[in-house]
Amino acid sequence: MNSPAQLRVGLIGCGNIGARGHAPSYDHIAEAELVAVCDVIYDRAARLAEQTGAQAYQDYRHLLDREDIDVLDLCVPTAQHAPLAVEALKAGKHVLCEKPIARTLAEADAIIAAVRETGRKAMIGHVRRFDRRYLEVKDAVQRGDIGTPAYIRRAERQWLPFAADAWYWHTDAGGGVIIDIGVHIADMFRWLYEQSPVSVYAVGRQVRDVAKQANSFDHVFITYRFANGGVGLGEASWAHPPEFGGGFYASLDVVGSHGRVQYSDQDSNPMIEFDAKTGAKLPQFFRFMSTTEFAFRDEIQHFLDCVVKDQDPAISLEDARSALAMVLAAQQSADSGKPVSLRLD
Amino acid sequence: MGIVNGTVDFAVVSYAHLHTPRYAASIVAHPHARLVAITGDGMNASVARAEAAKYGVPFYDSYRDLRPELNLQAAYLGSETHVHRELLAWAANSGIDVICDKPLATNLDDARAMVEIARQAGIRLMVPFNPRFQLPLIRVAKAIHEGEAGDLVSIYAVKYGRLPTKAQGPQSAEWFLDPDRAGGGGFLDIGIHAVDALRWLAGAEVRRVYAHIGTAIHPDLRVDDLGTVTLEFDNGVVGVISAGWANPDTAPTWLEVRFEVLTTRKTYLIKSPYHDLAIFSARDATRRPWLRKDVDGLVDDFVRAILERRSPALTAEDAYAALAIVLAAYESARQGQVIELE
């Protein structure tokens, strides 16, 4: 049967993740159609509309008003997640929202309450959980290949190209490397341990001039201790040299009672490329240095499946709230220089 | 390296430590060193006796049997850690310079006393920390200390070995698992190398220590097998170390050592301390170094320090500082708090 799309989607936020990560995914998802794209910078919406055939908007309220839109995909700065998500849910839309869930725990609770109230579905895009390399690691751990995990080390490192006034640098906008990148690490630890942490200790540094201008850490080491005694060491950095990212961005090492799983972009890369000017380089095979486009596609597909089949998404809002609580505590630890206790679940 | 004249006569004291055969071989091979005696103090006396026969040098049951007529100038001390203080006292009395394998002692009281004994006797006391003589780290240290790399920001170091009792060969390593004789477990045994490497690269002293250390992998051990520590140096450098007996039997190397260094100009990812190659046998797959300059480098520096009448690259104070940091990490892990060092 050549059925028409079952779900119509509006995308709010046509920046990096929205335009380059999410929007192209809809081309590959049979049961969804991207019908509207919106950005406060109208040109960005217009450009994306031209590429996708969706209609461009500058004011998100037009998307709330459109009754034919079932799902809103929110790729806006973190501080706008909760206000937009709550409004969208109350307008009867299902919501897929970028990580972290919100800027504060109270805002996260507002989203959770709005879902209960409206019966709509919402999921936070913790995209690492849909990334095939990390799914392989998760599978290996779940199969018992390495026994019980006892120590996990995760690093996500690059050179952030944005100027000091970009929201990414500012914790009050939900930015800063601890919150923006750390939340991926926090969620990965909880996902692999299937536990919540009881304490966190973080040491941050302002390395680059841009970080000093923004008065924001760009290089941080975060240690979580979990209820079962497991330890997670996360390193999040925007302070590496500009060429560092692509072939070197991520590494993950899970030490278990009976073995280890190791992943690193560097070791995993199948080729080296030589160039007379730049010398040897590890080529980047995916649009983003941190995520494959397949992961975004699988994440969106999963959420839309949950909407169609009326099932609970694999990542609960409580999971996303816990990840936020973990990074807020890490930020507090880095700011105060002291370990911070956590009581989650 | 300048030209030196003379020869340093060494005794190798005790084959309790798994490193002893490597030091004996390095001393024998050194053009300005001579191995003149081997003793069988502590564990593995039969191995000591066999090595003495192999090298054609006299064997003695104990260091107490080493007579002044031997005119020893130096000794390598490879005993169980808790015996180090007694052996050092003998060396100091005899005016003998020592390489004492790590850690210096099982506790800071002994360590402090040993530094003082060595100072008063005017003998050299070197605890050999291999990273100082590993080629990739020498390269990074040079770039940092000579300014090419800008300022050092952070170092993350991984040092994982297998459980020492899984070592092949005739030596027993059972005492490594005894807290009274070893002073600690995998974190102390392996992590102390990384602690010294970070002090060296940072060119500064540690002020704040936060750690988790536990028996994570081998539940029956009486000592820890895995730890992670965050160190803050007085010049702002951050050091993070994961260390212990975490390497599975199936890992292609006995040791896994990585250093990841961020400076204001460069990133260095060191994936191994050694140049190596892969051997796939019918039994297993291993990576073996074809170049290991570190033990020879340590012995060479020590021999030249004696002949040139200078301090070795690693001093008694370095040995004490590294142990103090590791023991502070254990204290932090016990308390769940940051430990501040003077």
Side-chain angles (χ1 to χ4, degrees):
Chain A
M1 192 176 81
N2 202 358
S3 70
Q6 293 171 295
L7 293 171
R8 294 161 71 84
V9 180
L11 174 70
I12 304 179
C14 302
N16 201 34
I17 299 295
R20 294 174 65 233
H22 284 214
S25 301
Y26 290 100
D27 236 5
H28 302 273
I29 298 173
E31 53 275 62
E33 189 186 350
L34 184 63
V35 297
V37 294
C38 174
D39 200 291
V40 286
I41 302 167
Y42 180 73
D43 281 352
R44 298 208 294 200
R47 245 191 334 269
L48 187 59
E50 221 167 88
Q51 292 161 22
T52 59
Q55 196 171 341
Y57 295 89
Q58 185 166 23
D59 187 337
Y60 72 94
R61 284 170 294 195
H62 293 301
L63 279 68
L64 301 181
D65 291 342
R66 269 183 67 164
E67 286 183 4
D68 65 318
I69 291 179
D70 307 290
V71 175
L72 283 178
D73 182 347
L74 308 183
C75 295
V76 294
T78 300
Q80 295 164 33
H81 287 176
L84 261 182
V86 168
E87 212 178 332
L89 288 161
K90 289 187 173 167
K93 312 300 186 194
H94 303 285
V95 170
L96 174 63
C97 176
E98 257 304 306
K99 45 56 56 178
I101 182 170
R103 167 67 191 90
T104 67
L105 294 177
E107 286 180 346
D109 290 337
I111 297 177
I112 292 169
V115 166
R116 285 208 190 105
E117 198 179 303
T118 62
R120 303 284 93 181
K121 301 223 179 279
M123 185 177 92
I124 307 306
H126 282 286
V127 70
R128 302 285 182 272
R129 293 204 192 197
F130 295 93
D131 197 311
R132 289 173 199 192
R133 55 202 143 165
Y134 306 127
L135 285 165
E136 286 288 336
V137 174
K138 174 75 177 167
D139 285 350
V141 171
Q142 258 176 341
R143 275 195 307 268
D145 290 0
I146 62 163
T148 310
Y151 174 75
I152 306 175
R153 189 253 174 161
R154 169 73 175 163
E156 301 203 24
R157 305 179 290 201
Q158 67 168 111
W159 182 83
L160 188 73
F162 305 128
D165 58 359
W167 72 267
Y168 280 95
W169 288 110
H170 298 282
T171 50
D172 36 340
V177 77
I178 293 177
I179 294 174
D180 193 67
I181 300 301
V183 79
H184 281 303
I185 297 172
D187 184 63
M188 187 171 286
F189 287 160
R190 269 190 85 250
W191 183 44
L192 291 173
Y193 274 130
E194 299 181 354
Q195 299 256 338
S196 283
V198 293
S199 72
V200 58
Y201 179 71
V203 173
R205 289 290 181 267
Q206 297 176 2
V207 181
R208 293 170 52 200
D209 288 343
V210 60
K212 289 172 189 159
Q213 282 160 33
N215 190 25
S216 182
F217 297 127
D218 56 353
H219 190 66
V220 62
F221 293 92
I222 307 170
T223 310
Y224 293 101
R225 184 175 184 83
F226 287 76
N228 67 348
V231 171
L233 172 66
E235 180 184 345
S237 182
W238 288 334
H240 285 264
E243 292 298 315
F244 184 83
F248 301 91
Y249 179 86
S251 52
L252 176 65
D253 187 3
V254 186
V255 177
S257 57
H258 294 89
R260 291 173 64 185
V261 199
Q262 277 183 307
Y263 170 84
S264 80
D265 288 352
Q266 180 192 4
D267 299 340
S268 170
N269 199 311
M271 74 187 271
I272 297 174
E273 199 172 290
F274 291 89
D275 178 276
K277 267 200 208 101
T278 53
K281 260 185 146 176
L282 297 183
Q284 192 178 319
F285 289 92
F286 309 105
R287 273 205 294 279
F288 293 86
M289 63 176 68
S290 59
T291 317
T292 68
E293 39 270 39
F294 310 109
F296 284 123
R297 199 184 294 174
D298 291 348
E299 169 192 292
I300 294 168
Q301 177 83 59
H302 171 74
F303 180 65
L304 298 179
D305 284 349
C306 289
V307 170
V308 169
K309 296 175 187 158
D310 191 18
Q311 289 171 349
D312 291 333
I315 306 166
S316 70
L317 294 174
E318 287 74 17
D319 288 333
R321 185 191 188 279
S322 292
L324 176 65
M326 286 170 71
V327 291
L328 293 177
Q331 183 77 48
Q332 189 191 333
S333 175
D335 289 340
S336 69
K338 290 181 181 144
V340 172
S341 291
L342 276 160
R343 287 284 169 271
L344 301 174
D345 307 332
Chain B
M1 266 182 270
I3 295 165
V4 292
N5 290 309
T7 300
V8 176
D9 283 354
F10 270 87
V12 165
V13 175
S14 178
Y15 273 66
H17 206 290
L18 296 174
H19 293 164
T20 307
R22 203 176 283 149
Y23 280 90
S26 189
I27 290 163
V28 166
H30 197 282
H32 295 285
R34 192 162 53 190
L35 180 59
V36 300
I38 285 177
T39 78
D41 297 87
M43 291 184 79
N44 303 318
S46 62
V47 180
R49 188 184 290 276
E51 288 255 306
K54 180 173 105 182
Y55 291 123
V57 302
F59 171 79
Y60 303 88
D61 287 326
S62 167
Y63 74 91
R64 295 182 198 88
D65 306 325
L66 295 168
R67 298 286 155 234
E69 304 83 76
L70 282 167
N71 282 320
L72 290 170
Q73 291 157 280
Y76 165 82
L77 310 181
S79 70
E80 298 88 337
T81 303
H82 74 301
V83 186
H84 282 170
R85 181 173 174 173
E86 175 189 328
L87 294 178
L88 182 85
W90 158 75
N93 271 331
S94 317
I96 295 171
D97 295 318
V98 295
I99 301 175
C100 172
D101 217 309
K102 50 84 203 172
L104 183 59
T106 60
N107 61 75
L108 275 189
D109 284 344
D110 280 354
R112 209 175 287 116
M114 290 172 74
V115 172
E116 187 53 26
I117 290 167
R119 192 189 64 76
Q120 282 181 8
I123 62 163
R124 292 173 181 82
L125 168 55
M126 179 202 235
V127 170
F129 292 124
N130 302 45
R132 298 238 189 177
F133 289 87
Q134 288 166 352
L135 296 179
L137 283 174
I138 289 172
R139 188 184 171 94
V140 171
K142 191 168 187 294
I144 292 169
H145 296 153
E146 293 178 4
E148 176 202 342
D151 295 330
L152 178 61
V153 175
S154 70
I155 308 166
Y156 174 68
V158 170
K159 285 189 83 84
Y160 293 149
R162 292 183 201 161
L163 208 59
T165 46
K166 293 191 173 170
Q168 304 284 323
Q171 283 174 288
S172 164
E174 178 260 322
W175 68 269
F176 280 84
L177 312 185
D178 175 359
D180 297 330
R181 285 181 282 176
F187 183 74
L188 170 61
D189 179 41
I190 304 212
I192 198 163
H193 282 293
V195 166
D196 177 71
L198 267 54
R199 276 187 73 241
W200 168 48
L201 293 170
E205 292 303 332
V206 168
R207 288 291 171 253
R208 290 165 58 81
V209 181
Y210 180 85
H212 293 293
I213 304 171
T215 310
I217 301 168
H218 312 88
D220 298 332
L221 286 190
R222 292 168 58 212
V223 289
D224 58 282
D225 55 13
L226 185 59
T228 185
V229 63
T230 304
L231 304 174
E232 286 179 84
F233 288 85
D234 54 18
N235 62 353
V237 169
V238 183
V240 181
I241 299 168
S242 304
W245 298 322
N247 232 11
D249 297 349
T250 50
T253 51
W254 174 268
L255 274 176
E256 176 181 333
V257 178
R258 284 182 285 143
F259 283 86
E260 301 183 344
V261 181
L262 176 68
T263 74
T264 50
R265 288 200 200 132
K266 289 169 184 274
T267 299
Y268 299 92
L269 302 178
I270 296 172
K271 59 180 183 177
S272 164
Y274 309 123
H275 297 69
D276 61 9
L277 51 80
I279 302 171
F280 304 94
S281 76
R283 257 190 345 274
D284 56 13
T286 57
R287 295 197 70 86
R288 290 193 62 79
W290 54 263
L291 186 62
R292 265 201 77 155
K293 295 294 284 179
D294 48 357
V295 171
D296 288 346
L298 285 156
V299 169
D300 182 64
D301 180 75
F302 186 71
V303 168
R304 285 174 191 275
I306 292 172
L307 295 174
E308 293 167 3
R309 300 173 190 283
R310 61 168 170 86
S311 282
L314 282 141
T315 65
E317 287 72 25
D318 290 324
Y320 178 85
L323 182 63
I325 293 163
V326 170
L327 295 180
Y330 279 96
E331 189 55 31
S332 168
R334 269 191 293 274
Q335 293 184 14
Q337 295 299 327
V338 175
I339 301 294
E340 312 253 356
L341 293 178
E342 291 292 302

